[in-house]
Amino acid sequence: MISSLKQPTVPITGSNVFRPKLTAPLRQFSVLPPLPALKTRGKSSAIAIAKPLCVSSVEGFGELNKKRSLIACKAYEADRSEPIEEGAKQAPSEAAKKLKIGVYFATWWALNVVFNIYNKKVLNAFPFPWLTSTLSLACGSLMMLISWATRLAEAPKTDFEFWKALLPVALAHTIGHVAATVSMSKVAVSFTHIIKSGEPAFSVLVSRFLLGETFPASVYLSLIPIIGGCSLAALTELNFNMTGFMGAMISNLAFVFRNIFSKRGMKGKSVGGMNYYACLSMLSLLILTPFAIAVEGPQMWAVGWETALSQIGPQFIWWVAAQSVFYHLYNQVSYMSLDQISPLTFSIGNTMKRISVIVSSIIIFHTPVQPINALGAAIAILGTFLYSQAKQ
């Protein structure tokens, strides 16, 4: 008589393999403590994990009898290439980026202070702002052409579309540069920069009404002390000049457009901030040169140059060279900053920079300042600080 013996089977979750029941129990050994049994109601126990965890390292293998946990495991999801805690390494890169921008800002401000000092010295002895502005652009263009020729800097790869997009930026830059130089030739450096500290107000108004951007109420409220402080400083300025005042105002508006157009033009382009400003200087030089000749002319320049040399001496040539070189350097660094930040943040940094320029110019040129005039400047700067906080 042949009888069939059917052995019980134990199903394994996720598999169709059946194993015969062993007659003798196997001795289990594990270096890890056993997991507590899961209590289920009439269902087979199974552990379901959406993303399996892999053990990358085990430390303290043979010291399980101590109370503290000596098994250090690093777990990561199966579809990740790094442990979970490695995501924290992104923080240092963000901190490094902020440090880099901070270095750009500090260098930008220091170079700008030096430029303003030499620029005012040149304008006091040689009151021809159109030629002074032209020499600044010419010096920067020559420096970059030499750098590209000697391969100290990699020459940018440009096309017609690049120069077409750069044209409105160059127009705004040319107007802003000449207007600021005209202003400083008529009034004190401190007064010009107090008025130019109102640039965030122009930036917000242009962004709101021309670009359609909206801002919180705190941003608009911060413009009140900026506008009020600039107005108070202008009304109490001892050496007020309408040409100098209007030059600073026009420069504010032009530079806001320049920053906005620059940020748009730099998007999607392989040209970095340094080369971008170099191309901008060259195009602005082409735009400015015929206007400078028409407004002032070589004959006036020759007479003014001889007068300045007779009064100052050969040191005057150094002043002209220094203001031209430092103008290019500080603008080049500012564009390297603009490559990393937004136009509004750039305007904030540009305004905070004016604090150092105002203070240094008052000290160096012994500019007389009335208490009410200083109060207006302080209110405008406070408004700028409140503006930056509101933007954050």
Side-chain angles (χ1 to χ4, degrees):
M1 181 177 177
I2 301 175
S3 61
S4 62
L5 178 61
K6 185 176 182 181
Q7 296 181 346
T9 60
V10 180
I12 300 177
T13 304
S15 175
N16 293 326
V17 180
F18 296 90
R19 295 182 180 178
K21 185 176 181 181
L22 300 176
T23 57
L26 293 176
R27 183 180 179 183
Q28 298 181 353
F29 175 78
S30 175
V31 298
L32 299 177
L35 294 174
L38 298 178
K39 296 181 179 180
T40 57
R41 298 179 180 178
K43 298 180 181 180
S44 61
S45 62
I47 300 177
I49 300 177
K51 293 181 180 180
L53 299 179
C54 305
V55 178
S56 64
S57 64
V58 178
E59 299 176 359
F61 185 81
E63 301 179 2
L64 297 177
N65 56 347
K66 294 186 178 180
K67 293 182 180 180
R68 61 187 179 92
S69 176
L70 296 178
I71 302 176
C73 299
K74 295 181 180 180
Y76 58 92
E77 296 174 355
D79 58 352
R80 290 175 60 98
S81 60
E82 294 180 350
I84 296 173
E85 70 233 61
E86 292 295 327
K89 291 184 178 180
Q90 297 176 359
S93 61
E94 185 68 21
K97 181 179 179 180
K98 292 182 179 179
L99 178 62
K100 180 180 179 182
I101 295 176
V103 172
Y104 280 161
F105 270 42
T107 307
W108 170 27
W109 296 349
L111 293 173
N112 186 259
V113 169
V114 178
F115 158 72
N116 277 278
I117 292 173
Y118 281 107
N119 189 47
K120 185 59 177 177
K121 287 185 175 182
V122 170
L123 292 173
N124 286 339
F126 185 75
F128 296 95
W130 288 80
L131 177 59
T132 303
S133 303
T134 305
L135 292 176
S136 301
L137 296 174
C139 179
S141 301
L142 181 61
M143 289 171 59
M144 290 308 301
L145 288 175
I146 295 175
S147 299
W148 293 340
T150 58
R151 297 187 178 182
L152 293 176
E154 184 178 357
K157 297 179 180 179
T158 61
D159 51 16
F160 176 76
E161 293 298 326
F162 171 81
W163 292 101
K164 180 180 177 181
L166 188 65
L167 181 59
V169 185
L171 286 172
H173 178 71
T174 304
I175 295 172
H177 177 38
V178 174
T181 309
V182 169
S183 176
M184 282 189 283
S185 68
K186 299 297 182 179
V187 295
V189 176
S190 57
F191 178 71
T192 298
H193 283 273
I194 290 172
I195 301 304
K196 285 176 67 63
S197 64
E199 186 174 323
F202 287 87
S203 183
V204 170
L205 294 177
V206 169
S207 299
R208 175 65 183 88
F209 293 104
L210 296 184
L211 303 181
E213 298 182 10
T214 58
F215 305 96
S218 57
V219 173
Y220 296 108
L221 292 176
S222 67
L223 301 183
I224 297 177
I226 294 177
I227 298 174
C230 291
S231 301
L232 182 60
L235 292 174
T236 57
E237 174 64 24
L238 295 176
N239 299 317
F240 180 83
N241 181 279
M242 182 57 69
T243 303
F245 175 76
M246 292 304 300
M249 295 290 286
I250 294 173
S251 178
N252 277 341
L253 186 61
F255 281 151
V256 167
F257 279 105
R258 181 199 67 175
N259 297 340
I260 294 175
F261 291 149
S262 295
K263 193 65 178 179
R264 289 183 172 184
M266 293 170 70
K267 286 184 177 180
K269 301 293 183 181
S270 59
V271 181
M274 181 178 66
N275 285 335
Y276 187 90
Y277 179 71
C279 296
L280 176 62
S281 295
M282 296 175 188
L283 188 55
S284 295
L285 178 62
L286 295 177
I287 297 172
L288 178 57
T289 301
F291 288 96
I293 295 174
V295 173
E296 294 174 348
Q299 293 181 352
M300 297 178 61
W301 295 339
V303 175
W305 188 268
E306 292 179 359
T307 303
L309 284 176
S310 62
Q311 294 178 353
I312 307 300
Q315 189 179 6
F316 173 73
I317 299 176
W318 159 249
W319 290 359
V320 174
Q323 73 91 22
S324 301
V325 171
F326 281 105
Y327 174 80
H328 175 76
L329 291 178
Y330 100 77
N331 274 286
Q332 191 175 67
V333 175
S334 71
Y335 264 79
M336 293 170 69
S337 302
L338 185 60
D339 203 7
Q340 307 289 329
I341 58 179
S342 66
L344 285 175
T345 305
F346 182 87
S347 295
I348 296 172
N350 198 26
T351 304
M352 299 303 292
K353 167 206 67 180
R354 302 194 192 284
I355 299 175
S356 57
V357 175
I358 292 171
V359 174
S360 62
S361 63
I362 291 175
I363 295 174
I364 292 175
F365 296 107
H366 304 286
T367 305
V369 179
Q370 290 183 335
I372 191 68
N373 186 265
L375 178 62
I379 293 174
I381 294 171
L382 175 61
T384 303
F385 174 76
L386 295 176
Y387 171 83
S388 63
Q389 295 299 311
K391 284 299 298 177
Q392 289 179 0

